[in-house]
Amino acid sequence: MNVDFLIVGQGISGTLLSWFLHRAGKSFVVIDNGADSIASKVAAGIINPVTGRRYQTTWKADELLPHAEKTYSELGAFFDTQYLFRKHIIDFFPSPAAREIFVERIQGGNTYMDAYPDQNHFNRHIKYDFGCGEIRPAYVTNLGLLLADWRKWLIDHNALLPETFEAERLQLSDDGVRYSDIRAEKILFCEGAPGNNNPWFHLLPFALNKGEALIIECPDLPNTHLYKKGFLLAPLPVQGTFWAGSSYAWEGLDEGPTEAFRLKTVQLLEATLQHPFKVLLHKAAVRPATVERRPFVGLHPLHQQVGILNGMGTKGTSLAPYFAQQLVNHLLHDAPLTPEADVRRFTRILSK
Ligand SMILES: Cc1cc2nc3c(=O)[nH]c(=O)nc-3n(C[C@H](O)[C@H](O)[C@H](O)COP(=O)(O)OP(=O)(O)OC[C@H]3O[C@@H](n4cnc5c(N)ncnc54)[C@H](O)[C@@H]3O)c2cc1C
């Protein structure tokens, strides 16, 4: 079988890369082992333009947000469903100092932040002492459904190899790559955290970390907003259910969900919610984060047949649409890559 591209991994990165290649009329096979505890299936799929205790605008938010909205809307139209839900974030300030910083940002002209007009509006649902502000636009994306729909499309189009990719079976030649009976011009790795062990890219500065989340049922909490109070509560498509998270752990990456996270999060929820709730699920996955907090995009400096789209860190939902499209434009039209994301910034390391 001859195809233009072989893609390894069908998380949000591999899904969107193959989507844009399909739109460009290119052929491909995606190899994915269907693992459950991967970042894209555990994530809430939140797109939040503001980050950290000092309420900074996230990197390239002005470009990433419209691009993500367009991409997920086009996918929704393609599958006749909705993946992206615009829901603003209500940020409950943890202290008067935090409120002051928030107000300063608004006065400084940050258009993603606004004072919430009725400070008591959420009292019936959430316990809070220092007021709240609004972050908008923000989105929740149903990544689980999108990945499942795209996987089915790949199967229907004979474009999925549902197995674990084994690097020792890959042959590189001057005119492309060969894997089993598949020949392709290039192989593109979208492996998420396991990319840390990829023979061609393992020297890149990954900084993997594990995150956990609870899925809860809280029928009396309105699903109109995302609620942020130390942790995030995001409404899910099933009425009355919410995603609650998350954590950052740099050790015990293989441990899966921990009792410590569950206990701490249940306590936080009890201290925050005015309504009874029930824990339905507890999940964990490893984020493919990087030391510089910038993704790895492009072709290997020594092996032009080998590429990467990885390192999405905590922001795959907004970064992957933009950089998957950019990588496709680079592959097909030699369009430039964003220098901070171009994997060739590590040419010296990758040439070792
Ligand atoms: C708890 C938690 C909450 C998060 N919340 C958010 C959020 O709200 N918003 C946001 O933007 N981001 C969030 N993230 C981060 C986000 O999940 C990641 O940035 C993104 O999902 C990474 O996607 P990916 O496709 O690059 O990798 P992955 O999702 O890890 O996908 C990689 C795929 O490759 C497959 N694979 C790997 N190796 C092989 C192999 N050898 N053979 C075959 N298949 C292979 C895997 O099985 C998987 O299907 C969160 C992460 C966690 C853990």
Side-chain angles (χ1 to χ4, degrees):
M1 180 185 206
N2 287 341
V3 289
D4 296 318
F5 297 97
L6 191 55
I7 295 172
V8 181
Q10 196 237 321
I12 192 59
S13 299
T15 294
L16 294 179
L17 186 59
S18 46
W19 161 250
F20 286 120
L21 285 171
H22 165 65
R23 292 266 306 253
K26 294 293 163 186
S27 59
F28 48 81
V29 166
V30 179
I31 305 177
D32 185 90
N33 54 22
D36 271 334
S37 296
I38 62 156
S40 300
K41 292 180 187 167
V42 171
I46 296 164
I47 300 177
N48 174 1
V50 173
T51 184
R53 289 196 192 126
R54 299 205 59 79
Y55 298 108
Q56 306 281 4
T57 301
T58 55
W59 183 56
K60 290 174 92 59
D62 295 350
E63 291 165 82
L64 297 181
L65 264 69
H67 199 276
E69 183 167 358
K70 182 167 178 285
T71 303
Y72 293 117
S73 302
E74 285 171 357
L75 273 155
F78 186 76
F79 284 114
D80 196 18
T81 187
Q82 187 177 0
Y83 299 114
L84 189 76
F85 300 86
R86 194 175 168 125
K87 308 249 174 184
H88 302 169
I89 298 172
I90 303 301
D91 193 305
F92 300 97
F93 305 128
S95 64
R99 186 178 56 215
E100 264 174 47
I101 299 171
F102 197 96
V103 171
E104 272 169 29
R105 292 277 179 256
I106 298 172
Q107 288 166 348
N110 189 320
T111 55
Y112 293 113
M113 299 161 73
D114 210 349
Y116 200 79
D118 176 4
Q119 286 290 305
N120 295 321
H121 184 83
F122 297 96
N123 274 334
R124 274 183 305 132
H125 307 294
I126 305 279
K127 300 167 194 164
Y128 58 103
D129 298 322
F130 304 110
C132 60
E134 189 172 36
I135 296 172
R136 51 152 178 69
Y139 306 86
V140 191
T141 318
N142 192 343
L143 295 181
L145 180 64
L146 171 57
L147 263 58
D149 286 347
W150 188 245
R151 192 174 186 87
K152 185 170 178 311
W153 187 92
L154 292 171
I155 292 168
D156 291 347
H157 291 78
N158 202 21
L160 182 79
L161 200 57
E163 61 182 45
T164 294
F165 168 83
E166 291 165 359
E168 53 283 4
R169 289 171 53 204
L170 184 74
Q171 295 164 27
L172 301 187
S173 61
D174 287 346
D175 60 347
V177 300
R178 188 189 172 111
Y179 189 78
S180 298
D181 62 342
I182 306 168
R183 287 173 190 277
E185 280 174 29
K186 295 192 195 309
I187 185 164
L188 306 168
F189 288 104
C190 308
E191 301 159 287
N196 197 30
N197 292 319
N198 180 294
W200 293 275
F201 293 111
H202 67 103
L203 293 175
L204 291 175
F206 281 95
L208 306 184
N209 66 74
K210 187 178 83 172
E212 299 184 48
L214 298 182
I215 308 299
I216 65 161
E217 188 176 50
C218 186
D220 298 328
L221 185 65
N223 69 356
T224 44
H225 293 87
L226 288 124
Y227 306 98
K228 184 160 179 267
K229 191 169 181 261
F231 63 104
L232 254 161
L233 265 174
L236 295 173
V238 175
Q239 188 65 28
T241 63
F242 293 81
W243 181 100
S246 179
S247 57
Y248 296 84
W250 283 265
E251 286 170 11
L253 298 186
D254 300 328
E255 268 175 28
T258 63
E259 194 53 25
F261 174 84
R262 185 189 175 95
L263 282 174
K264 187 177 159 210
T265 307
V266 166
Q267 277 170 7
L268 277 172
L269 287 164
E270 283 168 351
T272 300
L273 291 173
Q274 301 279 21
H275 307 297
F277 66 91
K278 195 166 92 185
V279 176
L280 302 178
L281 274 174
H282 180 184
K283 303 178 177 188
V286 179
R287 298 181 184 90
T290 70
V291 171
E292 298 171 311
R293 298 184 184 184
R294 296 291 176 263
F296 302 140
V297 185
L299 296 175
H300 194 289
L302 301 185
H303 306 286
Q304 284 298 293
Q305 325 89 313
V306 182
I308 187 167
L309 181 67
N310 204 334
M312 299 295 152
T314 58
K315 304 215 163 15
T317 318
S318 53
L319 291 174
Y322 186 87
F323 285 105
Q325 169 90 76
Q326 196 174 87
L327 180 55
V328 168
N329 291 343
H330 181 67
L331 294 168
L332 305 188
H333 310 297
D334 210 16
L337 296 168
T338 300
E340 298 99 308
D342 189 341
V343 73
R344 286 182 188 226
R345 69 194 189 276
F346 298 110
T347 291
R348 229 179 53 206
I349 293 173
L350 292 173
S351 303
K352 280 182 185 165

